[in-house]
Amino acid sequence: MPASNTSKPRKKLLSVADCQSLNINEVHSLYRQHVNSSKVDLLSIFDFGNELVDKAQGLNIYTKSGRVVNDFTGGYGVLSHGHNHPRILKVRQDFQNQHRMEVHKNFFSQYIAALSHNLSILLPGDLDYSFFPNSGSEAVDGALKTAFKYHDGKRKHFLYSNIAFHGKLFAADSVTNSPENHYEYPKLANTHQFEFNNIASVKQVLDKLRDKNGACTVCGLILEPFNISNLRECSAEFLLAVRELCSKEDIVLIFDEIYSGWCKSGELFYFMKIPGLLPDVLCMAKSFGGGKSSISGMVTRKKIFKKAFDTPKAANMQSSTFYAFGEETVTALEAVNIIIEEDFVIKSQRIEKKLSSGFQKLKNKYPQIITDARGAGAIHGIFINPGPKILGKLVNYIPGEIFNDERFMAKLVTTAVISHLYTHHNILTFTSLGYEIHLIVAPPLVVTDDEIDHFFACLDKTLAEGLLSLVIKFAKKKFFK
């Protein structure tokens, strides 16, 4: 017989107040029982995995143990405005205090209307029609559906790059090629790879997919002009050539700027660095919500949108239950206005100069450790060389089967540096799990020159410890807790 719904012993429901009094061991226990035990194992090897956060403001995270941590992750792209920007907090509080309505299908939203209007003003060309789902993956999904619907299902094929991360939903994963998504989920049919930043490869794949009459069968092409996972930029020549090719063949060109957008890469959006370049659909998220709102966006050119969705039959095809909740939308409105009024483009360009210069100096000082340093805007990284000396010394500290992962050593040396920066200098950074493992530094755009200088001084002290020393300390902590 099925178990009774009263078979579990009744436990107390936790309140928000209860959450504030939980200690780290209790949180670990609840994660192991109800969230993911392996996540506890992964994060608890770092000191930040053994602390709870009390509050955050600007660049800083304040832990319950008393640390003041400089957050140089930028919330993985979410926190261009920093933690809890006062204008973001105020607009949300005002919305709540005035009892504004969140969402209702029977009424038009002045907030959606205004946010769409603002994006149309800020973006070039006829990128005029907007849709606001919740996550970046949903924006990608919507963009792919737009390309398919634009061609009324008569074209079935999508092209995507062999270096690409577009999200973790089925549709987004189907056009992703990255070790970050290493499980072979079923993919959408008719998705085809071309070589990153190689127009000849795009043409070759396109020609293979022509029908017997030589007609194009591709409905959409999606790419990241700046791939954050590997800090790889598409050249202007490649992007313009792709644009020309897509225009000629009537292929919907989709730019994924979910991470690189909103000034993270030195311009409002990366593609705007290149005069005359325009996608047919632009996907955005992360800092679009000001660090508080779960909102993404896809903006479509007028001619594409009109054909795909501007009919009575198709008018409700772009919608969801939580589509553009009022508070989420006013948060994005304020976030975008802050970006413009506080000139985040100039801030990003200033940060780029500081990061580029600082990393180049460290690369010159530690040529045996840093093999490369690159990035754009407020997103930069260093690539660390473990070297054969470290590999030999670690045999006694690490189980041998782990070395079967060909990227293991790169992961180990990078995480060792991240761990030391946090433990000894209260600086939080992160690593990419792309094809090339590297340490990423992506501070919020409110970071000051003094704070960047402090970061580089601490990274210099960390590298001066020597990679072997850093890695052995970290390996002991990880494998012999």
Side-chain angles (χ1 to χ4, degrees):
M1 293 179 63
S4 166
N5 61 5
T6 60
S7 61
K8 283 185 178 181
R10 186 174 293 278
K11 296 180 181 180
K12 174 190 173 185
L13 293 177
L14 297 175
S15 67
V16 175
D18 291 329
C19 294
Q20 306 307 324
S21 63
L22 292 173
N23 62 42
I24 188 63
N25 291 328
E26 292 169 325
V27 172
H28 279 178
S29 177
L30 290 172
Y31 261 75
R32 288 191 184 281
Q33 295 175 62
H34 307 298
V35 183
N36 191 317
S37 183
S38 293
K39 188 177 287 289
V40 179
D41 295 333
L42 286 170
L43 284 182
S44 61
I45 62 173
F46 298 94
D47 282 353
F48 51 75
N50 294 287
E51 297 187 275
L52 294 175
V53 173
D54 181 40
K55 60 182 180 180
Q57 181 69 52
L59 180 74
N60 295 329
I61 296 172
Y62 301 84
T63 71
K64 290 191 173 184
S65 65
R67 284 184 191 267
V68 180
V69 178
N70 290 167
D71 183 1
F72 272 77
T73 70
Y76 295 78
V78 172
L79 296 170
S80 285
H81 302 74
H83 293 275
N84 290 313
H85 192 289
R87 283 179 58 178
I88 298 290
L89 295 183
K90 184 178 186 306
V91 77
R92 290 175 72 88
Q93 290 164 356
D94 288 347
F95 189 90
Q96 297 164 17
N97 293 339
Q98 294 160 9
H99 301 283
R100 301 300 183 194
M101 187 174 69
E102 283 291 356
V103 67
H104 201 297
K105 301 296 184 185
N106 293 50
F107 295 90
F108 287 109
S109 166
Q110 59 267 52
Y111 314 116
I112 291 175
L115 184 56
S116 301
H117 164 79
N118 288 359
L119 292 181
S120 177
I121 290 174
L122 293 173
L123 294 171
D126 60 342
L127 284 164
D128 290 337
Y129 286 81
S130 296
F131 172 61
F132 306 116
N134 302 109
S135 70
S137 287
E138 290 173 275
V140 167
D141 184 272
L144 296 174
K145 288 193 292 186
T146 297
F148 191 82
K149 182 70 169 56
Y150 171 75
H151 284 288
D152 200 25
K154 295 174 182 176
R155 296 189 184 187
K156 310 291 186 184
H157 299 277
F158 294 94
L159 304 187
Y160 68 101
S161 174
N162 67 331
I163 297 177
F165 185 84
H166 295 296
K168 297 177 181 177
L169 296 179
F170 263 116
D173 181 65
S174 295
V175 290
T176 287
N177 194 60
S178 170
E180 293 172 272
N181 272 21
H182 59 272
Y183 189 78
E184 288 299 319
Y185 291 106
K187 293 185 179 293
L188 294 177
N190 305 317
T191 56
H192 311 270
Q193 288 183 23
F194 59 85
E195 185 178 332
F196 183 84
N197 202 34
N198 185 333
I199 191 62
S201 175
V202 176
K203 292 177 179 178
Q204 184 178 35
V205 176
L206 188 63
D207 286 341
K208 286 182 179 178
L209 296 173
R210 295 189 185 280
D211 66 17
K212 61 183 180 181
N213 298 316
C216 181
T217 63
V218 174
C219 62
L221 183 153
I222 185 169
L223 61 85
E224 298 161 286
F226 179 28
N227 174 269
I228 306 299
S229 299
N230 297 279
L231 293 180
R232 297 276 297 274
E233 301 175 69
C234 291
S235 68
E237 292 77 15
F238 170 76
L239 292 172
L240 289 169
V242 167
R243 173 67 278 177
E244 182 180 5
L245 183 62
C246 287
S247 296
K248 178 183 177 183
E249 301 283 358
D250 198 23
I251 297 168
V252 176
L253 176 59
I254 303 164
F255 282 173
D256 177 348
E257 294 233 29
I258 286 165
Y259 203 144
S260 59
W262 296 118
C263 310
K264 291 297 291 185
S265 55
E267 184 50 81
L268 191 66
F269 288 89
Y270 184 92
F271 82 89
M272 293 171 68
K273 294 182 176 185
I274 303 166
L277 180 62
L278 191 71
D280 294 313
V281 184
L282 175 66
C283 298
M284 62 184 68
K286 295 194 181 283
S287 288
F288 186 41
K292 281 292 183 183
S293 175
S294 177
I295 187 170
S296 62
M298 53 165 286
V299 186
T300 307
R301 294 181 69 184
K302 182 177 180 178
K303 66 175 185 177
I304 303 294
F305 179 85
K306 286 284 188 180
K307 184 178 176 184
F309 295 113
D310 200 1
T311 66
K313 186 177 180 180
N316 289 319
M317 285 187 174
Q318 284 187 329
S319 65
S320 69
T321 301
F322 295 98
Y323 161 46
F325 254 38
E327 188 173 326
E328 306 301 277
T329 311
V330 298
T331 305
L333 266 167
E334 188 71 355
V336 171
N337 281 321
I338 291 168
I339 285 170
I340 301 305
E341 292 167 20
E342 298 187 7
D343 213 341
F344 276 26
V345 169
I346 296 299
K347 292 180 186 291
S348 183
Q349 293 170 354
R350 171 185 59 81
I351 294 168
E352 177 173 13
K353 290 178 181 178
K354 292 284 291 183
L355 293 180
S356 179
S357 172
F359 279 127
Q360 188 58 50
K361 289 178 182 177
L362 287 180
K363 184 175 182 292
N364 293 338
K365 185 174 182 178
Y366 300 102
Q368 301 304 314
I369 294 178
I370 300 176
T371 60
D372 196 10
R374 60 178 187 255
I379 307 173
H380 283 251
I382 54 171
F383 299 77
I384 301 173
N385 176 27
K389 178 181 178 183
I390 292 177
L391 180 63
K393 293 285 186 179
L394 289 179
V395 171
N396 295 325
Y397 295 96
I398 300 175
E401 66 271 12
I402 288 179
F403 291 109
N404 292 332
D405 179 354
E406 62 182 15
R407 300 187 304 148
F408 171 73
M409 288 305 300
K411 293 177 184 177
L412 182 61
V413 295
T414 304
T415 51
V417 173
I418 290 170
S419 177
H420 192 275
L421 276 171
Y422 184 86
T423 300
H424 297 278
H425 299 289
N426 295 325
I427 289 177
L428 186 65
T429 55
F430 67 112
T431 185
S432 164
L433 296 178
Y435 290 102
E436 300 174 272
I437 305 298
H438 53 282
L439 182 148
I440 297 183
V441 176
L445 299 180
V446 296
V447 69
T448 67
D449 286 353
D450 287 344
E451 289 166 337
I452 295 174
D453 290 339
H454 174 68
F455 161 76
F456 277 115
C458 294
L459 180 57
D460 191 352
K461 291 177 182 178
T462 296
L463 297 178
E465 294 272 332
L467 275 189
L468 182 58
S469 173
L470 293 172
V471 169
I472 287 177
K473 289 176 184 177
F474 182 72
K476 287 180 178 179
K477 182 188 298 186
K478 177 176 174 61
F479 299 106
F480 302 98
K481 291 189 292 184

